[in-house]
């Protein structure tokens, strides 16, 4: 496996948990060929470093403060990522920024790192996404699938009907 998809965020803080929710949906509803690894990165921060070292290509999914309307989806590649994360939305963003900087310093950045981010609406205690983000989650997943497709990964929606 050369490709990892990591959803980061705190599932206890509403929109903050969108990354792990996307990974959960991808794991449940799609098959990938060749196989990729789907990782619920939660709030692990620097503990994700072995994953950064392991893969040639990585997609990170997280909330990002794009200074746009809630639900805005943006895709950042390589060097575009750190400047957006310098404004922290939550504690785990320190971990992501530090994670990528440490990987750069140790010279084991993957060939490609892409952040698929979404502007949050509500960060508060709760397990559900805001209505705005819940309504955009399929669009967020489509962005991830587009990137995987551009990397030669076949993404097949699984049927759960019997």
């Amino acid at each position: 496996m050369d490709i990892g998809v990591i959803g980061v965020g705190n599932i206890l803080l509403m929109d903050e948990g969108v990354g792990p929710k996307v990974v959960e949906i991808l794991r449940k509803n799609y098959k990938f060929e060749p196989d990729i690894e789907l990782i619920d990165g939660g709030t692990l921060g620097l503990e994700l470093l072995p994953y950064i070292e392991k893969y040639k290509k990585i997609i990170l999914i997280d909330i990002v403060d794009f200074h746009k309307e809630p639900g805005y989806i943006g895709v950042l590649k390589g060097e575009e990522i750190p400047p957006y994360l310098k404004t922290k939305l939550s504690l785990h963003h320190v971990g992501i920024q530090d994670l990528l900087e440490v990987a750069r310093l140790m010279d084991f950045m993957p060939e490609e790192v892409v952040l698929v981010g979404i502007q949050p609406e509500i960060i508060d205690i709760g397990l559900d996404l805001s209505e705005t983000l819940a309504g955009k989650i399929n669009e967020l997943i489509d962005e991830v699938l587009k990137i995987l497709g551009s990397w030669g990964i076949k993404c097949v929606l699984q049927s759960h009907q019997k």
Side-chain angles (χ1 to χ4, degrees):
M1 264 184 265
D2 291 336
I3 297 175
V5 176
I6 305 173
V8 293
N10 187 336
I11 61 168
L12 302 176
L13 296 175
M14 296 185 73
D15 290 350
E16 253 263 333
V18 72
K21 285 188 194 267
V22 167
V23 165
E24 179 185 331
I25 292 167
L26 290 172
R27 186 177 289 136
K28 186 177 173 185
N29 297 321
Y30 289 88
K31 264 193 165 286
F32 301 95
E33 191 179 309
D35 205 12
I36 63 171
E37 190 165 1
L38 299 166
I39 302 141
D40 176 351
T43 56
L44 293 176
L46 287 177
E47 293 179 44
L48 292 170
L49 207 50
Y51 293 106
I52 299 296
E53 185 177 14
K54 181 178 177 182
Y55 300 109
K56 291 182 179 171
K57 298 179 180 184
I58 291 180
I59 298 173
L60 295 165
I61 306 160
D62 197 5
I63 57 167
V64 173
D65 186 1
F66 289 108
H67 304 287
K68 303 274 186 177
E69 72 282 357
Y72 173 85
I73 294 171
V75 176
L76 305 172
K77 298 178 181 178
E79 298 299 320
E80 296 173 331
I81 297 170
Y84 276 90
L85 298 179
K86 289 200 186 295
T87 302
K88 318 259 183 308
L89 285 172
S90 66
L91 293 178
H92 88 266
H93 285 122
V94 173
I96 289 174
Q97 185 180 12
D98 291 344
L99 175 70
L100 295 175
E101 289 301 320
V102 169
R104 270 191 195 94
L105 288 172
M106 296 178 80
D107 201 26
F108 59 68
M109 279 292 283
E111 292 170 11
E112 288 189 57
V113 177
V114 178
L115 172 62
V116 180
I118 187 165
Q119 181 77 40
E121 181 173 46
I122 302 171
I123 299 175
D124 201 354
I125 295 172
L127 296 174
D128 297 324
L129 297 175
S130 65
E131 272 187 42
T132 302
L133 263 61
K136 290 285 209 166
I137 200 158
N138 286 335
E139 196 176 321
L140 192 62
I141 290 168
D142 286 345
E143 287 295 331
V144 173
L145 296 176
K146 267 195 286 187
I147 295 163
L148 290 171
S150 75
W151 289 348
I153 301 297
K154 191 174 167 186
C155 310
V156 178
L157 185 62
Q158 298 184 82
S159 172
H160 296 291
Q161 296 178 350
K162 292 185 179 184

